[in-house]
Amino acid sequence: MDYFAGIDIGSTAVKVAVIDEDRQILGSKTAATGALVYKNAQTAFLALLSEIGLNRKNITYLTTTGYGRKLFEDADETISEITANAIGAKQVGKPYGTIRTIINIGGQDSKAISLDEDGNVCNFAMNDRCAAGTGRFLDMAARNLEIKTTDLGDFHYNAEGTPAAVNATCAVFAESEIIGLLGKGHGREEIVKGIHFSIAKRTIRLVKRVGIKELLYFDGGPALNKGLVASLEDELGRRLVIPEFPQVTTAFGAAIIGQEAYQFEKEENEQLASEKKQDSELAESYKSTLDPEFSKTKANSCGTSSCSSC
Ligand code: ADP
């Protein structure tokens, strides 16, 4: 059995996925990117391999993607995160139908990717200049509210009052706005809900730049936040496809690249072998029509001089 790995080295988190020849995910792992990017990515990769009972030699093809992809020197191939995200979403989204729009919110950027009916990227828009509307903004807000990023979804659903209006378009101003809202006595739940709606509105402006086409797929770490998912769905007025592991779609897409390269090579070798076999059969039958001695040998070798196949 051959195995393929994809490593997505993002600005905030490293994601690793390992698949088999049938594109089944054997395991995935997420770790902080940190400052020692290569070391942390390598540690996460080897830890996942050990968890699933494999070692480096079992990996036929390793593809890296994400902003730090070129730092991983022993990769067989590097690929842009837009392409890897599209390939991963196409595969993960299959049970739901055809994914035409991907909304990806990462640690420090957000993207909207438009796909054609075959899953090829036809357009994309990206915000990587400003932290507002990204995971970093959510992490900062959670810190200011003294809650965990992973609890933002629950706080959203526990809000009983009107969501607080969070208007700042810049993460730095939003930070002082959040502190101001707390000072005015707004509940943390309502502030969280207000933040989610503000990010949703901002994200939808980005998606409109590529066009909103169903099915819409939402991934990246913040897609684990059910409050943000609900806000996006409310603002869009449409349902989103949320994969089971939204943070690893791009790593999975990168792993598929390796599986495709392997499949292509395998099919090419099979084709070559079959052409070679056909050539030698043809040469043999041609020889037998020209050389009566050759046919005699063949007849003798099968023991029946009257055998028609000889
Ligand atoms: P990148 O690829 O840019 O490193 P990711 O797609 O890995 O970004 O997303 C990282 C962000 O995901 C974090 O900054 C955090 O806000 C968010 N995140 C990660 N895990 C969770 C979780 N369980 N619940 C909510 N948000 C999460």
Side-chain angles (χ1 to χ4, degrees), residues 2-6 17 19 45 56-64 74-78 254-262 265:
D2 284 85
Y3 302 99
F4 312 89
I19 61 170
F45 176 42
R56 181 63 183 90
K57 286 196 182 109
N58 298 125
I59 302 297
T60 304
Y61 208 93
L62 168 64
T63 311
T64 56
D74 42 338
D76 295 298
E77 190 175 344
T78 58
I256 291 176
I257 296 285
Q259 188 271 341
E260 275 174 352
Y262 163 85
E265 203 174 308

Side-chain angles (χ1 to χ4, degrees), residues 130-153:
C130 164
T134 68
R136 192 167 155 205
F137 180 82
L138 287 159
D139 297 339
M140 177 276 294
R143 231 182 0 259
N144 283 325
L145 295 168
E146 291 187 37
I147 58 179
K148 290 192 210 136
T149 301
T150 48
D151 290 338
L152 287 170

Side-chain angles (χ1 to χ4, degrees), residues 112 123-127 204-212:
N123 198 2
F124 77 91
M126 187 157 163
N127 156 41
I204 288 162
R205 281 202 294 277
L206 186 74
V207 184
K208 280 187 176 157
R209 280 167 49 191
V210 301
I212 298 174

